Amino acid sequence: MSLVSVAGVHEPRVYIMFVGAYRVSAVVEGSVPSFINRSTLIAMLAPLNSTCKYHVLSVSHLIKVEVVANWSRGWLAQCSITPLVRLLGAPKFAGFTSIFGSIFGFMINAGVYAEVNVTEVNGGYYLVFRFLGINWAWFTLSMLVLAIPILTQLLIYRHLASRQRGRRDVTYLYSMGLSGQYIPNIVAFIAVIVSMFMYMSPMQFLLKPVSFNNQLANALLSLLLPIAAVLVVSVFIQRHYVRMLKEPVRERLEKAINFKAAQRLATVILILIPGFGGVMGYVYYLLFTHFKLSGTSTPIVALIDLAWSAALISVILAVPQWLVTRGAVEDPGLSRVAGDIWVRMGGLGEAPRVYLVENVAGSRYNAAAVGLFRRRIIVAKQLLGLLSEEELRSVLIHEVSHVKHGHLAKLLMVVIPLYLALITTAMTSFTKYMLLPGIAALGSILALTPLVRFIQRRLETQADIDAVKVGFNPRAYIAAMGKITRESLMPLTLTRLDRPLLTHPEPSLRRRRVLAVFPPSPSRRSPWAPSPQRLPTCRQGFLASTGLGNPGVRLGVLEMG
């Protein structure tokens, strides 16, 4: 039923807009028979601004004025509305804003009991606000909604642990890190958004005794404290099940992965985002309070948000790369080999140099092409003892192909504008109090992950094909993939839910694609090989190197970068 059919066009009304532990606001609305401009209305309300604040939302024939008050002792607040009553008539209480269109207004205010009355005192009219208590049923429901991601995570991890039981591989340990995180993250995003609006108002009243006697601090504390509690519980659940799934292959995993380096990298990223966000949040607070950012034009706000987003993405990209390449030492011999490959592939400019590191983002058997301006190839030292000379060349060809085709630059040219646009849209929307566009933009950031991973897999496939198109024996590359798969404990195949989240194609699929494009020939030899290599056949070499020739052994952890 519409508002017009309930109250009539000209009937004045008042409805609650927001109830917080420090502030309460309502909107007085009504129609006038003749036109009135904004400046005239502001001049009428100016003498009343000493105790309460009045914001003119709309004028012309339909008048909307927001009245904001601070609570006094006894959870009571009152504001004079005498000029509005003389202009519109005495308004009647009409409930929450959600009854007339805003579902978020209802979700925010349904957690508390409050009333608004119009009282006449000595010929003057006042809006009187009263806080009546917390809606505990609504608050409990909000906590149950917030707990949904934990239950989802627990069910998925229990399922993966039951599937892994008795196996001597890491297939479902990988699933925990792929779909086992992505699916709960989507559920968590939805649940946090819904529950946040539900518990925000009652949580502010509960936390007021321990807050900093500040509206902003109280609001942030009420929003972030429950989310932080859920995050801590989720981390403990994940650590428990990861430890359970690691146990059967712990020794082999420790040989393949430097867990301290991997955890250090993950910790730095997790600290960077909230830390940088906290600093910029304080800057935003200053902009809001001293420079009135919310009142600035939308294009200016969007430019400020774009600059913040670009700074955040730059820090997230630069710092992890610095950690990965820290302590790298150039290997002159491998750099000469990479230079020869660069010339044979028709590369322009300076050839990438090869550096040795202890591990590549935690992996002891991996290689990767890094850098946009100072292009380098980093190789884990233990990879040198694992691969033969021809196999190592094939790996370098793969990485040089990444550099030659500018795969990292292409990926960033696609990904960075998308993330910048979404982050900027979200921040600008929230700054201008447009909730739906902001929530949609944040949700789209999660939805981008499969697209980004798809692009990465396509670029890896191109580099794989280049590794055998430059006149190199594909058997050596397949054998190198097999050895790295075996030593890194990388599963040969993964579940359907995991495949869209992989950065590289599955090892078995990579092998099939290489053979489909360039079938091996016994007479074909590497132009760099000084003498005929005694290599196994393609199928035998791959099965032997991956351990599939031994029944009951299906091991596998990281792919080549």
Side-chain angles (χ1 to χ4, degrees):
M1 186 177 292
S2 68
L3 175 63
V4 174
S5 61
V6 173
V9 176
H10 300 287
E11 183 177 350
R13 54 200 164 265
V14 57
Y15 50 83
I16 294 176
M17 190 167 186
F18 176 75
V19 181
Y22 287 90
R23 190 186 67 180
V24 60
S25 66
V27 172
V28 178
E29 180 182 283
S31 300
V32 291
S34 59
F35 176 81
I36 182 171
N37 60 42
R38 181 181 294 270
S39 59
T40 302
L41 185 57
I42 292 176
M44 291 171 58
L45 298 173
L48 307 178
N49 275 324
S50 58
T51 56
C52 300
K53 294 182 179 179
Y54 302 83
H55 305 292
V56 178
L57 303 180
S58 69
V59 291
S60 186
H61 293 289
L62 181 64
I63 303 297
K64 284 187 179 181
V65 177
E66 181 187 9
V67 182
V68 182
N70 294 323
W71 293 112
S72 61
R73 292 184 178 180
W75 299 111
L76 186 69
Q78 61 181 17
C79 298
S80 175
I81 57 168
T82 302
L84 291 175
V85 172
R86 292 173 179 171
L87 181 65
L88 306 173
K92 295 181 179 180
F93 179 58
F96 297 117
T97 55
S98 63
I99 298 176
F100 308 107
S102 173
I103 186 64
F104 292 108
F106 172 75
M107 293 172 63
I108 290 173
N109 295 310
V112 296
Y113 296 117
E115 68 175 7
V116 181
N117 294 313
V118 179
T119 304
E120 181 183 0
V121 179
N122 297 327
Y125 292 87
Y126 295 86
L127 272 185
V128 180
F129 301 90
R130 286 187 177 87
F131 171 66
L132 305 178
I134 294 175
N135 186 340
W136 290 104
W138 185 262
F139 181 73
T140 303
L141 179 61
S142 69
M143 293 295 102
L144 291 176
V145 172
L146 190 61
I148 288 177
I150 296 178
L151 299 177
T152 304
Q153 183 189 47
L154 190 60
L155 290 174
I156 292 176
Y157 287 179
R158 282 175 63 86
H159 170 72
L160 295 176
S162 64
R163 295 289 299 272
Q164 181 71 34
R165 189 173 292 117
R167 300 171 64 99
R168 299 289 297 178
D169 61 20
V170 292
T171 300
Y172 295 105
L173 182 60
Y174 261 74
S175 294
M176 182 176 291
L178 295 170
S179 59
Q181 285 190 1
Y182 185 66
I183 295 174
N185 284 346
I186 295 175
V187 176
F189 175 79
I190 298 172
V192 165
I193 291 295
V194 174
S195 62
M196 184 174 66
F197 284 103
M198 294 175 67
Y199 70 68
M200 181 170 63
S201 291
M203 186 65 71
Q204 286 193 39
F205 287 96
L206 291 173
L207 294 178
K208 185 175 181 180
V210 297
S211 67
F212 305 99
N213 199 30
N214 178 275
Q215 174 68 34
L216 180 62
N218 187 265
L220 290 177
L221 191 62
S222 64
L223 290 175
L224 298 180
L225 190 61
I227 297 174
V230 170
L231 180 62
V232 169
V233 174
S234 299
V235 169
F236 276 107
I237 292 174
Q238 182 181 7
R239 289 173 66 90
H240 169 72
Y241 280 98
V242 167
R243 191 162 48 246
M244 181 188 301
L245 291 176
K246 273 183 185 178
E247 199 56 41
V249 289
R250 177 175 294 276
E251 292 183 3
R252 296 189 179 188
L253 276 176
E254 289 178 349
K255 290 180 181 179
I257 301 175
N258 185 332
F259 286 106
K260 289 185 177 179
Q263 290 174 355
R264 187 186 309 122
L265 184 62
T267 302
V268 167
I269 294 175
L270 288 175
I271 292 175
L272 274 177
I273 296 176
F276 192 83
V279 172
M280 294 308 298
Y282 181 70
V283 173
Y284 259 72
Y285 169 72
L286 296 178
L287 291 174
F288 265 108
T289 54
H290 297 286
F291 298 98
K292 307 298 181 184
L293 181 63
S294 58
T296 310
S297 63
T298 301
I300 299 299
V301 175
L303 286 175
I304 296 173
D305 293 334
L306 180 62
W308 184 94
S309 305
L312 175 63
I313 292 176
S314 300
V315 170
I316 293 175
L317 288 176
V319 174
Q321 180 172 291
W322 173 76
L323 284 175
V324 169
T325 58
R326 187 179 60 170
V329 178
E330 183 181 357
D331 186 299
L334 292 180
S335 294
R336 285 194 295 270
V337 174
D340 191 10
I341 296 170
W342 180 260
V343 172
R344 290 177 182 270
M345 294 181 73
L348 301 177
E350 185 180 357
R353 297 185 178 274
V354 181
Y355 292 79
L356 299 181
V357 293
E358 292 297 329
N359 59 82
V360 179
S363 174
R364 302 184 194 273
Y365 299 99
N366 208 348
V370 299
L372 282 175
F373 306 106
R374 186 187 175 191
R375 299 175 296 183
R376 293 176 288 175
I377 296 173
I378 55 174
V379 178
K381 292 179 180 179
Q382 294 193 25
L383 199 61
L384 304 183
L386 177 67
L387 304 180
S388 68
E389 182 179 343
E390 192 170 6
E391 293 164 354
L392 185 58
R393 284 196 186 101
S394 70
V395 173
L396 290 178
I397 292 175
H398 175 94
E399 302 303 336
V400 170
S401 175
H402 281 313
V403 177
K404 177 180 179 291
H405 294 290
H407 285 168
L408 180 59
K410 290 178 180 178
L411 179 65
L412 295 180
M413 285 174 61
V414 175
V415 172
I416 288 182
L418 289 174
Y419 280 112
L420 281 177
L422 291 174
I423 295 174
T424 302
T425 300
M427 295 180 63
T428 305
S429 300
F430 290 136
T431 304
K432 291 295 182 179
Y433 304 107
M434 297 182 292
L435 297 178
L436 284 178
I439 293 171
L442 285 180
S444 300
I445 293 175
L446 284 175
L448 274 183
T449 301
L451 173 63
V452 174
R453 299 295 169 83
F454 171 77
I455 296 173
Q456 288 178 295
R457 290 194 300 274
R458 297 288 293 180
L459 297 179
E460 290 296 331
T461 299
Q462 183 181 13
D464 285 344
I465 301 306
D466 270 6
V468 294
K469 273 192 171 181
V470 295
F472 199 75
N473 192 335
R475 290 180 295 172
Y477 185 63
I478 291 173
M481 282 196 298
K483 289 182 179 180
I484 293 174
T485 298
R486 178 196 65 200
E487 294 299 327
S488 298
L489 307 184
M490 176 64 192
L492 296 179
T493 58
L494 287 160
T495 65
R496 291 182 180 179
L497 290 175
D498 297 322
R499 288 168 191 160
L501 301 173
L502 289 171
T503 59
H504 295 59
E506 297 169 289
S508 57
L509 180 60
R510 296 176 78 174
R511 171 184 174 272
R512 289 197 301 270
R513 284 180 174 171
V514 169
L515 293 180
V517 173
F518 202 96
S521 172
S523 61
R524 185 174 181 83
R525 291 176 49 241
S526 165
W528 295 292
S531 60
Q533 302 287 324
R534 297 186 61 186
L535 292 173
T537 65
C538 214
R539 176 176 172 81
Q540 292 172 342
F542 189 77
L543 292 178
S545 61
T546 55
L548 289 178
N550 182 10
V553 178
R554 290 183 60 204
L555 296 171
V557 172
L558 285 174
E559 305 134 295
M560 288 181 294

